[in-house]
Amino acid sequence: MRNSPTRFRRSRATTAIRIAGASVAVAVATLTFVHLGSVTAAPPTPTLEAFAEEVQISPDAPVQGDTVTVLIAAPGRARVTVQFDGAAVPIFSAPGGAVRALIGTDPDMAAGSHSVRVTAKAANGTIHHFSRMIKLQSGRFAVRSVTLPAHTYALINPKNAAIEREALGPALSRRTPTTLWHGPFQLPSTGVMDSPYGLQGFYNGHRAWWHMGVDFAAPEGDPVTATNDGVVVLARALPLGGTTVVIDHGQGVETEYIHLSAFVVREGDHVEKGTVIARVGATGLVTGPSLHWGLFVNGIPVNPLFWTAAHPGLTAP
Ligand SMILES: [Zn+2]
């Protein structure tokens, strides 16, 4: 049950409410760059044809927790930037000579309209750019109340939150330029998923947080497997997450596995999808054996189940 004390990013008003885990149809919108002119005021040149011709943004109607993929095809030598609501989004290479920006959304991001702006500047100074509004749907997340024993509840304090932040901050701030994941992510446990992403949590009657991943009920000692290829960048015991593993999958995508009982891997290990990395446990802020799986995109805790499906330009084989 990863939640707010470990946050280390923006705080915004929480919106809520829609069925968590609702499947999202992936629609790819194809849009063509608008030529706005060149800084030299020259007429359009043939280099434009070799330029980025189209931008694909998917899904067409994202729900809070989804990851929005902005794919700019064949940019050639153009310098491409992407902004989301005016803030720069990291750009990385994608298959086929394209470049890609990933925008993580979560329950803290207000439902409604958000802007995506793509700019491509050619070596000769020609600038193309295009903007599009995307409409983020509310996740309509349910509420859960958790009652923790006093000694467990006492773990929730500023000192422990700071320890977690210091440990997880560097791991989740990694922006490895290459893609290490291949295809859809797979579930890390065969246990039953008993707590969905985005639940609005009340602990011992107060402290409203939301659930930044999915939980699996599994017996202590059950194997926990890597959800995709990557590098283990954190494997250590933390006060709230308990025994914790973080895997870097490249391009700002990381997964975390918490409340473990034992490590099978160490920091620096390369793992493949399905590699056993740890054992289910009951360490940290839990009431019994449970595996919490989280997935971060540029530090945003998104819905990991979105990544278990084949999405064009992201996880499609
Ligand atoms: Zn959890």
Side-chain angles (χ1 to χ4, degrees):
M1 38 177 126
R2 165 76 64 209
N3 36 46
S4 285
T6 61
R7 308 294 301 262
F8 37 83
R9 57 188 203 86
R10 74 206 188 279
S11 68
R12 286 172 298 186
T14 298
T15 52
I17 318 306
R18 202 191 139 185
I19 307 296
S23 67
V24 179
V26 176
V28 177
T30 299
L31 300 114
T32 305
F33 272 118
V34 177
H35 178 225
L36 295 185
S38 84
V39 294
T40 58
T45 67
T47 57
L48 293 178
E49 308 308 319
F51 222 46
E53 288 290 340
E54 57 185 35
V55 178
Q56 296 178 337
I57 300 177
S58 62
D60 200 35
V63 176
Q64 288 168 326
D66 286 355
T67 300
V68 175
T69 300
V70 181
L71 196 65
I72 301 104
R77 282 174 291 178
R79 198 170 74 80
V80 177
T81 58
V82 173
Q83 289 188 319
F84 182 68
D85 287 345
V89 182
I91 300 258
F92 297 108
S93 60
V99 295
R100 174 170 59 196
L102 301 180
I103 299 165
T105 74
D106 68 18
D108 282 343
M109 184 177 285
S113 294
H114 297 270
S115 71
V116 176
R117 182 178 175 87
V118 181
T119 303
K121 183 175 183 182
N124 69 356
T126 306
I127 295 173
H128 291 62
H129 64 212
F130 118 115
S131 297
R132 182 177 154 198
M133 302 303 289
I134 60 167
K135 192 165 186 196
L136 185 65
Q137 324 279 314
S138 168
R140 297 183 60 192
F141 302 109
V143 170
R144 77 167 168 185
S145 293
V146 178
T147 302
L148 297 171
H151 69 275
T152 306
Y153 187 68
L155 292 171
I156 306 169
N157 60 59
K159 179 167 169 260
N160 283 344
I163 292 169
E164 297 248 337
R165 200 162 44 239
E166 281 174 27
L168 290 166
L172 299 179
S173 299
R174 295 171 64 94
R175 302 292 179 262
T176 302
T178 52
T179 309
L180 303 175
W181 80 84
H182 303 282
F185 283 55
Q186 67 176 38
L187 300 180
S189 168
T190 56
V192 174
M193 256 185 287
D194 60 355
S195 285
Y197 171 88
L199 284 179
Q200 305 293 306
F202 288 81
Y203 290 75
N204 293 13
H206 45 101
R207 284 182 187 264
W209 298 328
W210 60 271
H211 190 218
M212 300 182 184
V214 293
D215 290 348
F216 299 82
E220 178 127 2
D222 249 27
V224 175
T225 52
T227 49
N228 216 313
D229 296 10
V231 177
V232 177
V233 292
L234 183 142
R236 69 181 75 164
L238 297 173
L240 297 170
T243 301
T244 298
V245 169
V246 175
I247 297 175
D248 179 3
H249 302 283
Q251 300 196 343
V253 178
E254 288 101 18
T255 52
E256 69 167 359
Y257 312 79
I258 68 177
H259 309 313
L260 309 166
S261 61
F263 300 116
V264 178
V265 292
R266 290 188 292 189
E267 291 181 8
D269 285 355
H270 289 251
V271 294
E272 295 180 348
K273 196 187 297 188
T275 300
V276 176
I277 56 171
R279 301 284 171 189
V280 171
T283 55
L285 197 64
V286 285
T287 52
S290 176
L291 171 66
H292 171 106
W293 176 41
L295 194 152
F296 294 78
V297 172
N298 296 322
I300 308 285
V302 300
N303 188 346
L305 296 185
F306 181 87
W307 287 73
T308 62
H311 296 285
L314 187 69
T315 51

